[in-house]
């Protein structure tokens, strides 16, 4: 069924035909062919989602009833965890243990939002105190309606879960479009939801390109809410398009996140977290801490250790035992990362290690883990997202200078600080202009905690109870009850 679209509870061929080739980034071989949805297919999916929302068969269920489906989806993912993780590896390139972690996290996300769906029943309304005894008022939460979810390729199933789970928990219906280069596990999610008995039209999964299928979703007047993760350029376009119909939007975009390491930090621990902050998932992480600021006293020693450890990273096929760094997701991404490193060289930066195709790999989009120093503060290398295993390191002297350099960015997704001085770490954490701050680590992410960016890194928050709010409207219901008439126009 990988060449079909999941619309209204059925697997359908795209109305106008058309396919997209799926390439294993490790071998560059075509491994599948998926359907390319067109505007007609998107319209059918949105109509199905609209009907499923408007007839109340999903939106009017109790939270506990919806939770049962979410738990069944979580169980369905877990039942096939290893198989789905392997699919993620051949589609995306990431090492198997990371894929396995992601798939487990995706299941956990459905379980978590099942819990929040049940909580909606426990708190159906909030009484509002008013200054006029003739009125009583309450606030209730209701699902927004049809949600269009457009997701990237770096965490294919997990990004789907981050959007589909809270949307379904809230009572919304969904049209999901995965990234064209990594759609396989989103199709498996549709199978699992179908098997879980999710009513027809509640979840629709359409594969296809951003410019056709994605564009048709954002343009559709019957979509009430757009939830997007991806590049800032497309996010900006989505927000502009959404403005036309005042669609609700949540955007999770790019970053160039800083990691400030003070000289009281343990060098081994710092190097470990700096590496985790940029090499995990081949650096294709929106929150990757790609700008590392190291205090002068340990700068040289830390860099030396950093380069030595980086050279030891085992690069290989994601399914091979012991692989810690797989290929980049696509040729486009590989070429983009290579171009960014060339740009760094022309800007006068120095590549300490890495900088090109991983030695020994003639095939596959394998890029060496790369450490860059001396990138000019006003250049592209220091300021623009590279989205690959490429880190820029520079020294600083004072806390004030570190905070200023860290915050000097149009992005504000994440930031990290490492210091044995807790008061200083808290002070710096408070000073960061970013939506996600890590102290003494970088990247660990929990479904329970809010996720999203300041500045051009996005708008709104996913995960936790904030993620549920993304898919809810707030309605006030105010009642007039008095023995005396209102008496504005009619006095007697
Ligand atoms: P992208 O923003 O182009 O694609 C993300 C999703 O949006 C995909 O599903 C794509 O099909 C869809 N899309 C593209 N154009 C669209 C349009 N006009 N209307 C509706 N949907 C559209 O990202 P990309 O090209 O896959 O990656 C480019 C850059 O995006 C990366 O280098 C990185 O900087 C950034 N990125 C960020 C994240 C993140 O998690 N924040 C994830 C992946 C990529």
């Amino acid at each position: 069924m990988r060449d079909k679209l999941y619309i209204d509870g059925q697997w359908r061929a795209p109305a106008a035909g058309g396919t997209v080739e799926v390439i294993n980034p490790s071998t560059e071989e075509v491994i599948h062919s998926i359907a390319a949805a067109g505007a007609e297919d998107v319209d059918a999916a949105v109509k199905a989602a609209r009907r499923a929302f408007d007839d109340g068969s999903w939106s009017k269920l109790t939270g506990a009833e919806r939770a049962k489906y979410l738990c069944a989806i979580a169980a369905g993912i877990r039942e096939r965890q290893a198989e789905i993780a392997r699919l993620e590896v051949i589609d995306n390139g990431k090492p198997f243990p990371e894929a396995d972690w992601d798939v487990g996290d995706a299941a956990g996300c459905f379980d978590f939002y099942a819990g929040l769906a049940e909580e909606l029943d426990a708190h159906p309304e909030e009484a509002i105190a008013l200054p006029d005894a003739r009125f009583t008022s309450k606030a209730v939460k209701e699902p927004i309606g049809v949600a269009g979810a457009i997701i990237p390729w770096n965490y294919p199933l997990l990004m789907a879960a981050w959007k589909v789970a809270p949307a379904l928990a809230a009572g919304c219906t969904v049209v999901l479009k995965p990234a064209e280069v990594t759609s396989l596990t989103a199709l498996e999610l549709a199978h699992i939801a179908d098997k879980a008995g999710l009513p027809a039209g509640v979840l629709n999964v359409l594969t296809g390109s951003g410019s056709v299928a994605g564009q048709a979703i954002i343009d559709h007047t019957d979509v009430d809410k757009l939830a997007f993760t991806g590049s800032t350029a497309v996010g900006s376009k989505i927000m502009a398009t959404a403005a036309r119909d005042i669609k609700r939007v949540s955007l999770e975009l790019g970053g160039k996140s800083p990691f400030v390491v003070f000289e009281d930090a343990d060098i081994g621990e710092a190097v470990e977290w700096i590496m985790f902050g940029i090499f995990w998932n081949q650096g294709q992480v929106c929150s990757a801490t790609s700008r590392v600021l190291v205090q002068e006293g340990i700068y040289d020693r830390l860099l030396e250790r950093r380069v030595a450890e980086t050279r030891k990273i085992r690069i290989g096929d994601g399914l091979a035992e012991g692989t810690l760094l797989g290929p980049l997701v696509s040729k486009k991404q590989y070429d983009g990362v290579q171009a960014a490193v060339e740009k760094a060289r022309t800007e006068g930066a120095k590549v300490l290690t890495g900088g090109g195709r991983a030695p020994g790999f003639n095939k596959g989009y394998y890029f060496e883990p790369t450490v860059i120093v001396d990138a000019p503060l006003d250049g592209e290398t220091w300021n623009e997202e590279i989205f690959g295993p490429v880190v820029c390191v520079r020294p600083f002297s004072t806390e004030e200078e570190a905070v200023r350099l860290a915050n000097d960015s149009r992005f504000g997704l994440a930031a990290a600080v490492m210091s044995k001085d807790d008061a200083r770490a808290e002070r710096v954490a408070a000073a960061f202009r970013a939506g996600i701050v890590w102290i003494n680590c970088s990247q660990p992410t929990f479904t329970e905690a809010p996720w999203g960016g300041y500045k051009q890194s996005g708008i709104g928050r996913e995960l936790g109870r904030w993620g549920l709010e993304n898919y809810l409207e707030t309605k006030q219901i105010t009642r007039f009850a008095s023995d005396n008439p209102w008496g504005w126009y009619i006095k007697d």
Side-chain angles (χ1 to χ4, degrees):
M1 294 296 189
R2 294 204 171 123
D3 56 349
K4 300 265 187 335
L5 309 168
Y6 185 65
I7 298 174
D8 205 8
Q10 292 170 343
W11 291 96
R12 297 189 196 168
T19 53
V20 180
E21 285 183 341
V22 178
I23 292 168
N24 178 340
S26 171
T27 61
E28 299 184 31
E29 282 164 7
V30 176
I31 50 170
H32 283 292
S33 185
I34 54 169
E40 210 179 311
D41 306 304
V42 167
D43 186 52
V46 173
K47 282 203 171 90
R50 180 88 263 157
R51 189 210 62 236
F53 183 81
D54 289 348
D55 71 12
S57 58
W58 183 252
S59 52
K60 299 282 189 247
L61 292 183
T62 64
E65 284 167 326
R66 289 198 295 271
K68 279 189 204 144
Y69 290 100
L70 292 177
C71 290
I73 294 173
I77 294 173
R78 282 205 186 89
E79 221 170 78
R80 299 176 50 203
Q81 182 160 338
E83 177 206 341
I84 294 173
R86 272 194 298 277
L87 208 50
E88 203 82 300
V89 173
I90 60 170
D91 206 9
N92 166 283
K94 63 177 70 193
F96 179 81
E98 289 191 32
D100 193 46
W101 182 331
D102 294 354
V103 176
D105 248 13
C109 185
F110 278 95
D111 275 337
F112 175 79
Y113 282 104
L116 290 199
E118 285 172 354
E119 272 183 35
L120 284 175
D121 295 344
H123 307 285
E125 55 189 52
E126 187 185 326
I128 298 164
L130 297 178
D132 186 329
R134 294 171 299 172
F135 295 92
T136 54
S137 189
K138 62 184 180 184
V140 297
K141 297 278 185 189
E142 294 182 343
I144 289 178
V146 175
I150 299 176
I151 57 171
W153 41 258
N154 53 346
Y155 290 91
L157 184 70
L158 192 57
M159 290 298 105
W162 281 22
K163 291 179 172 49
V164 173
L168 296 188
C172 289
T173 55
V174 179
V175 177
L176 170 71
K177 195 204 83 65
E180 48 273 53
V181 286
T182 57
S183 295
L184 300 183
T185 52
L187 292 169
E188 294 309 316
L189 179 64
H191 279 291
I192 289 166
D194 193 73
K195 203 171 156 204
L198 199 70
V202 172
L203 172 66
N204 305 272
V205 178
L206 280 83
T207 52
S209 75
S211 56
V212 177
Q215 188 70 39
I217 292 173
I218 66 175
D219 279 337
H220 205 294
T221 50
D222 243 351
V223 171
D224 303 296
K225 146 99 195 177
L226 292 170
F228 172 77
T229 298
S231 61
T232 300
V234 174
S236 168
K237 195 170 175 184
I238 287 179
M239 198 162 165
T241 310
R244 221 167 44 203
D245 313 319
I246 320 292
K247 285 188 178 71
R248 280 80 185 113
V249 277
S250 49
L251 304 173
E252 207 269 273
L253 310 174
K256 188 79 178 181
S257 299
F259 192 159
V260 174
V261 181
F262 285 96
E263 56 199 11
D264 59 1
D266 176 272
I267 289 188
E269 275 175 37
V271 168
E272 166 71 15
W273 283 112
I274 292 170
M275 288 171 67
F276 197 72
I278 187 67
F279 294 150
W280 200 44
N281 208 27
Q282 294 63 247
Q284 301 163 132
V285 184
C286 50
S287 57
T289 34
S290 50
R291 288 186 297 142
V292 176
L293 294 152
V294 182
Q295 203 164 18
E296 282 162 347
I298 57 165
Y299 183 72
D300 289 335
R301 273 181 298 145
L302 186 141
L303 259 189
E304 197 181 315
R305 178 81 187 270
R306 175 83 170 79
V307 168
E309 297 296 339
T310 297
R311 289 184 176 145
K312 289 187 215 161
I313 291 177
R314 186 167 323 167
I315 305 173
D317 186 292
L319 291 175
E321 189 73 28
T323 292
L324 282 173
L325 195 98
L328 298 177
V329 71
S330 63
K331 178 163 191 316
K332 181 181 161 205
Q333 198 59 18
Y334 180 95
D335 290 345
V337 172
Q338 184 67 74
V341 173
E342 294 319 317
K343 179 75 188 175
R345 289 191 169 108
T346 62
E347 286 184 338
K350 204 160 123 202
V351 177
L352 286 190
T353 186
R357 172 168 280 279
F361 292 91
N362 301 323
K363 275 231 167 298
Y365 310 124
Y366 289 97
F367 201 90
E368 286 175 292
T370 301
V371 180
I372 289 177
V373 293
D374 300 336
L377 282 176
D378 58 355
E380 266 181 40
T381 313
W382 184 255
N383 292 293
E384 296 304 321
E385 188 174 44
I386 295 175
F387 227 66
V390 180
V391 66
C392 298
V393 190
R394 69 178 298 126
F396 71 89
S397 63
T398 65
E399 180 179 321
E400 182 267 326
E401 182 194 6
V403 168
R404 184 170 45 76
L405 288 172
N407 284 338
D408 185 15
S409 171
R410 70 187 169 99
F411 298 113
L413 186 54
V417 54
M418 183 168 267
S419 170
K420 288 209 168 79
D421 178 344
D422 287 345
R424 172 158 64 186
E426 288 291 340
R427 219 169 34 238
V428 171
F432 281 144
R433 298 279 301 149
I436 304 150
V437 172
W438 285 290
I439 296 178
N440 294 341
C441 62
S442 174
Q443 304 308 313
T445 301
F446 297 93
T447 310
E448 295 75 6
W451 183 271
Y454 284 22
K455 302 193 255 181
Q456 291 184 30
S457 288
I459 198 160
R461 292 293 177 273
E462 297 196 284
L463 298 185
R465 62 180 168 76
W466 302 267
L468 190 70
E469 291 290 334
N470 252 335
Y471 297 93
L472 292 169
E473 290 278 22
T474 303
K475 178 189 272 180
Q476 67 146 302
I477 302 177
T478 298
R479 175 193 291 266
F480 174 72
S482 168
D483 293 338
N484 301 316
W486 185 237
W488 188 274
Y489 292 108
I490 301 170
K491 305 288 186 196
D492 43 40

